Amino acid sequence: MNTSDFYTYLNAQQTAQQYLYSCYKGMEDAESKSYQNCNTFMYYLDHGLRFYENGKKADQVVQPVLYFYGMVHLLKASLLTERPDYPESTSLLAHGVTTRKRKKKQYTFMDDEVKIQQQGLFPYFSEHLFSMKKFSFEKINMEMLFSTLPEMNDFFSLQNKNKMIEIGVSESLLLQFPIQLLDNYHLTDKAFIRRLEGFLPSIKEIKIDNSNISIHLGKSFSSSHGPFYVHMHDKKIYFPSDRNHFLPISEIITHYLILFNLSMLCRYEAEWWGDLLLSRPDIDYPFIHHFLKITSEKIPYMIGKKLMDKYKNQKLF
């Protein structure tokens, strides 16, 4: 079953309730809470997908807002599978990130930053969906975030900025890292492998020669969580080519931060946003244009897969 079909399957009170009940097993009042939340869960999914569908048909002027709120709805549905009492307080309804109120002269999107707040949806879903309680950054710029998306890598390569390298294929048992990567990370081969171990399934064998570090895994590997990222189309696994871009966060988190910033520009920086779309003065436009195309497809897929995997793990398929 693909994710699109699974969304359709959940689009009924009965199936939504059964799914939530399977998620709540072991919790207090699991059955009553599954009935209590099934309509909200179903509508979050339905409305989220509608935002995406309408976004694809809409003018690019408003796409960031539609995609951002589509993502927010899908995230809230996911949270209901983990947190039956969500939202526990009104503070969780805020976005959880902020941007600069006043844009600097010679503003470029690639240099713009978002700042994480201590309360709101962002820190809440990061903790409860991705076990991220602390981040290595308080602020982060858009170029850094773009650099961790495998679908953006070709754009960076055209600028002779290779942010990521291919190291394998999704669901494979072999990952290969070029030996020169050790120079970029300023690590010995053993230290480099130790750094990766916490992000990988069981390692069966490691081979090191003059060209590559080859890591043979005990089970197949597919990841959308940094520092390993899977390309949506070719299913190749990408890894940061430089230690400065080693960012072990979920790709869903990255999309949220970029989309939030774009949606704020779209709503509150009409002159800059209009100039970007009409005049296309700099590199910002092709990156943003391509990102909007990618996020409209990848986020519904990734969140749908997360929901479907959760169901499979309950052994209900």
Side-chain angles (χ1 to χ4, degrees), residues 24-243:
Y24 296 164
K25 278 183 179 177
M27 298 183 188
E28 189 176 348
D29 300 324
E31 187 171 11
S32 64
K33 287 183 177 178
S34 69
Y35 279 104
Q36 179 183 324
N37 288 337
C38 69
N39 279 2
T40 305
F41 174 73
M42 184 174 66
Y43 291 141
Y44 275 150
L45 292 178
D46 181 60
H47 293 177
L49 294 174
R50 285 173 187 260
F51 272 111
Y52 278 103
E53 289 167 8
N54 283 285
K56 291 176 182 179
K57 301 172 188 174
D59 193 287
Q60 205 167 34
V61 170
V62 296
Q63 278 183 342
V65 175
L66 294 172
Y67 293 156
F68 178 69
Y69 284 106
M71 183 177 192
V72 166
H73 278 72
L74 296 184
L75 286 171
K76 287 180 177 180
S78 295
L79 282 169
L80 273 182
T81 69
E82 299 282 346
R83 310 286 293 177
D85 296 320
Y86 171 80
E88 292 92 331
S89 70
T90 55
S91 66
L92 299 178
L93 301 178
H95 297 313
V97 287
T98 59
T99 60
R100 291 193 189 106
K101 301 301 180 187
R102 291 178 180 269
K103 302 305 178 186
K104 296 179 178 178
K105 288 183 179 181
Q106 304 303 315
Y107 169 83
T108 66
F109 182 74
M110 299 294 275
D111 293 330
D112 199 9
E113 295 178 330
V114 289
K115 182 179 180 181
I116 296 173
Q117 295 182 309
Q118 293 184 344
Q119 291 186 315
L121 179 62
F122 177 77
Y124 187 83
F125 85 72
S126 296
E127 177 181 353
H128 294 295
L129 297 182
F130 303 106
S131 302
M132 293 288 299
K133 291 186 178 182
K134 292 183 179 180
F135 289 86
S136 60
F137 55 88
E138 181 184 358
K139 298 178 182 178
I140 190 165
N141 69 34
M142 297 298 103
E143 182 171 351
M144 172 68 84
L145 292 171
F146 275 144
S147 73
T148 65
L149 302 180
E151 295 83 6
M152 305 301 298
N153 193 54
D154 285 345
F155 278 50
F156 284 113
S157 296
L158 290 171
Q159 296 182 296
N160 294 318
K161 298 178 181 178
N162 293 312
K163 304 286 188 177
M164 309 186 93
I165 56 169
E166 300 171 16
I167 58 163
V169 180
S170 180
E171 304 298 339
S172 72
L173 295 172
L174 173 65
L175 301 178
Q176 286 190 307
F177 302 84
I179 201 73
Q180 63 264 30
L181 203 61
L182 299 177
D183 295 332
N184 298 348
Y185 277 77
H186 307 297
L187 294 171
T188 64
D189 51 9
K190 291 181 180 178
F192 181 74
I193 292 166
R194 281 198 301 271
R195 189 166 188 180
L196 300 183
E197 282 177 334
F199 303 102
L200 292 171
S202 60
I203 296 176
K204 187 176 181 181
E205 185 181 19
I206 298 170
K207 293 182 179 179
I208 302 172
D209 57 33
N210 293 330
S211 302
N212 294 299
I213 298 173
S214 300
I215 298 179
H216 298 262
L217 303 171
K219 62 178 182 178
S220 62
F221 175 67
S222 177
S223 175
S224 61
H225 194 289
F228 302 100
Y229 300 96
V230 178
H231 195 290
M232 179 172 57
H233 299 303
D234 62 23
K235 302 303 179 184
K236 291 179 180 177
I237 300 173
Y238 285 75
F239 183 81
S241 59
D242 189 279
R243 66 174 185 169

